[in-house]
Amino acid sequence: MRTHAKATFALNAWDEKPYNEVSGLPKLTRVSVTKTYQGDIMGEGKLEYLMMYLDDGSASFLGLERVVASVGGRSGSFVLQHSGTFKGGVATVTLLVVTGSGTGDLRGLRGNGEFAVGHQPPYSMTLDYDFE
């Protein structure tokens, strides 16, 4: 049976740098992010995004985040795969726990989650999970 976890996160750092800008084409950037989680997930995350911006300011992005945390009272780490879009000031993201990425008491963690956030904290997310 899956457990439904709710957490909030803070963005402690957002370091975005273009890596490919060509006139008339979508801009490509790389972003390094550090996060702090509170709630049913307590800990820290380090995330790398690859983003593509269109002329209207909307974006599509992919990322991998290593989360070192406790989840449901179990401690360890795991990797979240992010897939999202940014449009109208809202980032909408689906999350997937990467199979086999759990360590410590989180070994065997599997699940998926989501968040939809604007520019103003608090940022809320959910993760539905269980263990193999």
Side-chain angles (χ1 to χ4, degrees):
M1 186 164 147
R2 289 201 153 195
T3 300
H4 184 73
K6 294 180 181 179
T8 60
F9 60 90
L11 298 175
N12 303 322
W14 181 280
D15 182 22
E16 186 168 3
K17 293 184 171 80
Y19 71 88
N20 189 272
E21 287 186 277
V22 178
S23 180
L25 297 178
K27 177 172 74 169
L28 301 178
T29 67
R30 178 177 290 114
V31 186
S32 295
V33 181
T34 57
K35 298 163 70 174
T36 305
Y37 289 93
Q38 293 193 355
D40 296 333
I41 302 169
M42 296 283 292
E44 296 183 350
K46 292 192 185 247
L47 166 64
E48 292 291 320
Y49 276 135
L50 294 177
M51 302 185 71
M52 181 201 76
Y53 288 92
L54 297 176
D55 288 340
D56 65 3
S58 66
S60 293
F61 53 90
L62 299 169
L64 289 173
E65 176 183 10
R66 182 178 317 279
V67 179
V68 179
S70 65
V71 179
R74 298 169 74 158
S75 296
S77 70
F78 59 96
V79 175
L80 285 175
Q81 179 178 300
H82 293 232
S83 177
T85 59
F86 179 78
K87 187 173 185 175
V90 176
T92 303
V93 180
T94 58
L95 304 167
L96 177 67
V97 176
V98 176
T99 302
S101 68
T103 68
D105 294 337
L106 297 177
R107 187 172 312 279
L109 179 71
R110 59 187 178 187
N112 52 48
E114 62 187 6
F115 61 86
V117 299
H119 288 294
Q120 296 299 316
Y123 306 117
S124 298
M125 53 105 43
T126 61
L127 182 69
D128 294 319
Y129 70 92
D130 61 9
F131 292 87
E132 296 175 340

